[in-house]
Amino acid sequence: MADIKNMPELVIISGMSGAGRTEAMHVFEDLGYYCVDNLPPSLIEELVQVTRAQAMNEDEALRIAIVCDARSRAFFISVRDVIEHMREAGVTTSVLFLDAEDDKLVARYKSSRRRHPLCSDGATILTGIERERSLLRDIRNSANVIVDTTNLLPAELRAKLKSAYDTGAEQAGLSVSVYSFGFKHGAPLDADLVIDVRFLPNPFYDPVMRTMTGLDQKVRDYVLYNSMTESFLKRWKNLLDCVMPGYVAEGKQQLAIAVGCTGGQHRSVVLAEATGDYLQSCGYRVSTAHRDLALAVRGDGELVGADPMADATDGETA
């Protein structure tokens, strides 16, 4: 994994049309770069100055990835001079060049039904590719990283680029929402992972804890410090350790985890908090919420919105 201190402040993404520049830009977006597509080289220095000033104001590193290619046409000729000027000015700059064999590029253009940017005069796709190779020769020769995508699947290209440019903070690119809920109020509709903790001992049956919630220390201790929960948490964390890196590798940006008990008052609240704390300790960006906590109890301990007949036959609410 690359050292974050040695990561480029500016990445110029260039290469042959159809070689994967759009996919590459998505990777850099996932890695936290500010990305601009098809920017004329003459504007690169101005953009760097603006973003540097913004980064100083916000006291955080702001890295830029710019796709600069043959679509700029006459403007593109100056790109090499701009790159040299950026490096002389102390801007850590990396040039990524994406390439592929001619027959593969032709096939990709035929399948996409798009016109090659250098075929506006009616030339064949192969002629456009030849023109593009000539135009991009200098920037290819000055590239820090060259990736041949001829035989690469999109996932393989993403893996190569992440290996080269990953700052080590990729986990922070995945936003995780963990929330508790009560099955009696309806199953969650937007969750990617749902865990049912109704098998754990229920604080509801203790008269003292009945009107408390999973945010109270007494309830938290009751739920967490028993053998069943300890055994469950060990296995639950092992599962998270298994699946979370897979979501990151896939490029997933948002993940919702729902933890449910009967009423969303006691057990699910405790375990949602524990899950959020664990994922945060692993480096993920986590927000924790409790969907049905407001429905659980009133200040006097009376259940809100409860069906009296249901209470008569099944007093379990949390």
Side-chain angles (χ1 to χ4, degrees):
M1 184 175 292
D3 183 348
I4 189 169
K5 295 181 180 179
N6 297 324
M7 294 308 296
E9 183 178 356
L10 171 66
V11 177
I12 304 294
I13 304 170
S14 192
M16 300 298 294
S17 299
R21 294 186 312 250
T22 300
E23 187 67 39
M25 187 169 66
H26 293 162
V27 172
F28 281 96
E29 287 176 343
D30 292 346
L31 292 176
Y33 281 73
Y34 177 74
C35 297
V36 182
D37 186 23
N38 196 22
L39 184 73
S42 59
L43 298 179
I44 292 177
E45 184 173 3
E46 183 177 349
L47 176 63
V48 170
Q49 291 174 347
V50 170
T51 51
R52 268 189 159 184
Q54 179 181 341
M56 290 178 64
N57 291 335
E58 298 179 358
D59 194 28
E60 66 174 84
L62 182 58
R63 294 178 171 82
I64 312 166
I66 298 172
V67 177
C68 192
D69 52 52
R71 290 173 294 172
S72 299
R73 293 178 171 81
F75 294 107
F76 187 79
I77 298 173
S78 64
V79 67
R80 189 170 182 180
D81 293 337
V82 171
I83 292 170
E84 290 303 317
H85 189 261
M86 287 290 95
R87 288 171 174 166
E88 290 172 0
V91 179
T92 307
T93 304
S94 174
V95 178
L96 166 66
F97 192 92
L98 301 173
D99 205 348
E101 295 176 1
D102 289 357
D103 58 346
K104 179 64 71 170
L105 295 174
V106 170
R108 288 173 182 172
Y109 260 96
K110 285 184 176 294
S111 63
S112 71
R113 301 181 182 274
R114 298 184 62 206
R115 186 179 69 184
H116 192 282
L118 298 185
C119 291
S120 58
D121 60 352
T124 65
I125 295 175
L126 192 57
T127 298
I129 291 172
E130 292 171 352
R131 293 171 177 173
E132 189 173 29
R133 286 202 183 281
S134 177
L135 181 63
L136 301 182
R137 184 175 295 113
D138 284 345
I139 194 170
R140 190 185 196 282
N141 291 337
S142 64
N144 303 88
V145 179
I146 299 175
V147 178
D148 187 333
T149 68
T150 302
N151 299 311
L152 292 183
L153 296 173
E156 293 172 325
L157 174 58
R158 290 195 294 269
K160 278 183 173 290
L161 296 182
K162 287 177 180 178
S163 175
Y165 292 97
D166 185 4
T167 64
E170 188 185 9
Q171 290 173 217
L174 175 61
S175 177
V176 184
S177 299
V178 181
Y179 65 89
S180 65
F181 73 96
F183 281 98
K184 67 177 291 183
H185 302 298
L189 299 177
D190 61 345
D192 299 290
L193 294 175
V194 179
I195 187 72
D196 182 352
V197 297
R198 288 178 290 185
F199 66 92
L200 296 175
N202 192 352
F204 176 82
Y205 294 113
D206 184 304
V208 175
M209 291 186 287
R210 179 170 300 182
T211 58
M212 294 181 177
T213 75
L215 299 178
D216 292 303
Q217 190 63 46
K218 187 175 181 64
V219 175
R220 180 181 175 83
D221 291 345
Y222 178 91
V223 173
L224 291 179
Y225 300 118
N226 68 76
S227 58
M228 287 186 67
T229 305
E230 289 172 354
S231 177
F232 161 72
L233 275 177
K234 181 179 179 180
R235 289 165 173 78
W236 175 228
K237 290 176 181 179
N238 286 340
L239 175 61
L240 292 172
D241 289 342
C242 175
V243 301
M244 297 300 291
Y247 288 129
V248 171
E250 183 195 8
K252 194 173 183 63
Q253 294 297 292
Q254 293 183 311
L255 180 74
I257 301 175
V259 183
C261 63
T262 305
Q265 178 181 348
H266 294 122
R267 294 164 293 179
S268 62
V269 173
V270 174
L271 271 302
E273 290 285 331
T275 300
D277 289 345
Y278 178 70
L279 291 175
Q280 196 164 32
S281 73
C282 294
Y284 297 96
R285 288 189 296 122
V286 182
S287 62
T288 305
H290 305 292
R291 192 192 74 178
D292 299 327
L293 196 56
L295 301 176
V297 294
R298 291 203 304 235
D300 58 5
E302 183 178 344
L303 296 177
V304 175
D307 183 342
M309 293 302 296
D311 288 345
T313 56
D314 182 4
E316 184 179 4
T317 64

